[in-house]
Amino acid sequence: MATARRPGAYVCGIDAAMDVIGGKWKVLILWALNEKTCRFGELRRLLPGVTEKVLASHLREMEADGLVHRRVYDEVPPHVEYSLTALGISLNEALAPLGAWGREHVLGPQDTHHAVR
Amino acid sequence: MATARRPGAYVCGIDAAMDVIGGKWKVLILWALNEKTCRFGELRRLLPGVTEKVLASHLREMEADGLVHRRVYDEVPPHVEYSLTALGISLNEALAPLGAWGREHVLGPQDTHHAVR
DNA sequence: CGGTATCCAAGCTGATACTG
DNA sequence: CAGTATCAGCTTGGATACCG
């Protein structure tokens, strides 16, 4: 179960979920990790514009929420891999219809032919 | 089609949709109007804690995004009714799985018995 | 009733520099 | 490589007062 950051403050399931994915880059992290397990530097390259600090804090929160798994290899140089948990995967699936809506109604029909994303 | 506030800045449909529902109270407004057409004061009462200024600005944005219809009756005292457009209804439907996810995984099992919301 | 106008506080985000 | 520390800025949201 994901962490409720404002326990008891939610009116319905949607705003509870919104709290979990509220960070500016979180849905993009979710999408990137859904494709493949990534290292920290990989994620940074996949999300153009994100800073290390923000990426790290988002990953910490998502880890605390049980969406992301952080695996540390005891190597030099350091090696850390991030992947989705089962909960993260289920969240991604729940987001799919919203993604389809956004592609169709915000991005517009001209973008739907490369709608792989 | 909804208004893209950051044209060309979206990586995928999900963050485009996130931009449209990003306001703190927007999903709750969407949910309230999905139940029934509401007047301004009604909405304020349905969303405990929202201020007039924020409610008004959110409604303006959602109107600009084509999610909400604003109907003004030429009466004294003033009478304004807000309702969802077809686009707003479709967005609500796209949000349903996310709401179910939030109820199940954030609010927790103990809340699912009054899962009407 | 249904808003605006003004001011203000908090928090999120970003830039930069540094470290184990 | 994978972060942390510090500082600065800006956007969001909130408090309050007032208006047609």
Side-chain angles (χ1 to χ4, degrees), chain B residues 23-25 51-53 58 78:
Chain B
K24 181 171 179 181
W25 304 90
T51 62
E52 298 151 353
K53 175 196 145 186
H58 278 187

Side-chain angles (χ1 to χ4, degrees), chain A residues 2-98:
Chain A
T3 307
R5 266 189 226 85
R6 297 149 36 204
Y10 303 114
V11 178
C12 66
I14 294 178
D15 67 329
M18 290 296 297
D19 202 32
V20 170
I21 56 174
K24 183 172 178 182
W25 303 90
K26 286 191 182 177
V27 295
L28 296 178
I29 293 172
L30 222 47
W31 168 77
L33 292 183
N34 200 43
E35 303 262 309
K36 62 185 273 296
T37 294
C38 286
R39 300 180 60 168
F40 188 87
E42 263 179 305
L43 276 175
R44 202 170 30 159
R45 264 171 270 120
L46 286 173
L47 309 179
V50 73
T51 63
E52 297 152 353
K53 175 192 144 188
V54 171
L55 179 56
S57 77
H58 279 188
L59 285 169
R60 296 277 170 283
E61 289 183 8
M62 295 172 76
E63 194 188 354
D65 284 340
L67 304 174
V68 162
H69 177 67
R70 180 170 181 267
R71 179 173 180 184
V72 181
Y73 295 83
D74 192 11
E75 298 176 0
V76 176
H79 183 172
V80 179
E81 280 185 359
Y82 294 93
S83 57
L84 291 190
T85 62
L87 186 63
I89 293 172
S90 72
L91 175 54
N92 232 315
E93 287 165 356
L95 282 169
L98 188 60

Side-chain angles (χ1 to χ4, degrees), chain B residues 31-52:
Chain B
W31 168 77
L33 292 182
N34 200 43
E35 303 263 307
K36 63 184 272 296
T37 294
C38 286
R39 299 180 61 168
F40 188 86
E42 262 179 305
L43 275 176
R44 199 169 32 159
R45 262 171 271 121
L46 286 173
L47 309 179
V50 73
T51 62
E52 298 151 353

